[in-house]
Amino acid sequence: MTDLGSLAARIVDGSIEVIDLTSPLHAGTPILQLPPQWGQTNTFQLEEISRYDDRGPAWYWNNIRTGEHTGTHLDAPNHWVTGKDLEDVSQIPPGRLIGPAVVIDRVAEATRNPDYLLDAGDLDDWQQQHGPLPEHGWLLFRTGWSGRGDDPRRFANADDKGAHTPGMTHAAARYLAASDLLGVGVETVGTDAGQAYGFDPAFPCHQEVLGAGKYGLTQLRNLDRLPVTGAVVIAAPLPIVTGSGSPARVLALVEK
């Protein structure tokens, strides 16, 4: 309890900073656009119930309508066919929503080439420089894409061939699926590249990482404020029974 009290005191005095990695959730929050033959998610919508008026004189509240995978959200294993018999979002043990985090920075590469793909060799190179990937932790893939997050058109970066956003190769996804990580976090609308529908297999991060019982975190911000190693990340999705995911508040604890 002494250690927990010290942690709480250091959060209060600011020597441990709490950094919000969550994108604001509103009607203009970018959403994933799938090819038209498939079902589509909803944009986030607020419906006012009352606001200190004749519908409710002393209170303000809203109904909300949104997809599970809108804005900053967590992908549960059952989101993908390879994990269909694994956990839904309500079944994730709370201890598996908190863990150490490391950041792999490929901003320069993604700036030059929006279709940049992280490969298994990049993961080997990173570990040679910074040490092993953390057990029971998160790998956060920084590309600078969150800088586009207030402009849905730039965020999607789409043309007649679909979206052009960074992601990872099948080899990298298979590498991470075999690791002891909790999951993977990205700045883009989903954990796979914009062109991943055309890969073989398609959507390799979903296929491998979720199929291995791990999790995805998407549309993260402020990864530039995290150290390469040493942060702790807390992901807090709603426990939607049978849900495939949920919008989430994602926080990082960083020692100053």
Side-chain angles (χ1 to χ4, degrees):
M1 187 61 71
T2 301
D3 289 343
L4 289 176
S6 174
L7 172 64
R10 294 189 64 198
I11 291 173
V12 171
D13 71 22
S15 59
I16 291 179
E17 185 177 9
V18 182
I19 298 174
D20 197 345
L21 306 185
T22 316
S23 298
L25 189 55
H26 52 75
T29 297
I31 59 172
L32 183 65
Q33 297 284 344
L34 295 178
Q37 67 268 29
W38 292 332
Q40 306 294 326
T41 192
N42 287 312
T43 57
F44 181 80
Q45 300 168 48
L46 276 183
E47 177 193 9
E48 189 174 277
I49 302 171
S50 67
R51 192 162 187 157
Y52 328 119
D53 53 28
D54 56 4
R55 300 169 298 172
W59 52 90
Y60 165 54
W61 57 341
N62 301 287
N63 290 318
I64 63 174
R65 179 178 173 84
T66 192
E68 296 171 325
H69 300 266
T70 299
T72 301
H73 65 270
L74 183 142
D75 292 345
N78 73 331
H79 175 47
W80 210 250
V81 64
T82 49
K84 66 185 178 67
D85 297 320
L86 302 178
E87 296 164 331
D88 69 47
V89 70
S90 73
Q91 295 169 329
I92 298 172
R96 287 181 58 79
L97 297 172
I98 303 171
V102 298
V103 180
I104 184 165
D105 189 324
R106 290 297 184 270
V107 172
E109 291 84 350
T111 300
R112 288 194 298 268
N113 174 19
D115 290 317
Y116 171 78
L117 300 177
L118 187 73
D119 205 355
D122 298 305
L123 299 169
D124 281 331
D125 292 345
W126 187 94
Q127 290 179 91
Q128 288 178 11
Q129 185 175 358
H130 300 289
L133 297 175
E135 293 183 13
H136 198 86
W138 301 98
L139 175 72
L140 307 181
F141 179 26
R142 183 178 173 231
T143 57
W145 212 258
S146 61
R148 300 168 175 248
D150 293 324
D151 183 336
R153 183 188 61 79
R154 290 188 66 239
F155 194 76
N157 196 37
D159 59 17
D160 58 358
K161 296 182 179 179
H164 295 274
T165 61
M168 65 182 68
T169 65
H170 184 242
R174 189 168 56 240
Y175 189 119
L176 296 174
S179 75
D180 293 321
L181 290 169
L182 292 172
V184 177
V186 301
E187 295 179 84
T188 45
V189 73
T191 56
D192 272 299
Q195 292 289 297
Y197 66 89
F199 295 1
D200 187 16
F203 305 105
C205 187
H206 286 75
Q207 179 91 3
E208 297 290 342
V209 173
L210 299 184
K214 303 183 190 301
Y215 317 120
L217 295 174
T218 74
Q219 280 186 251
L220 300 176
R221 291 191 173 192
N222 295 321
L223 297 188
D224 58 313
R225 297 177 59 189
L226 303 189
V228 175
T229 64
V232 172
V233 161
I234 304 165
L238 298 172
I240 301 169
V241 175
T242 75
S244 70
S246 168
R249 192 73 179 260
V250 183
L251 306 175
L253 304 181
V254 175
E255 190 164 17
K256 283 190 174 180

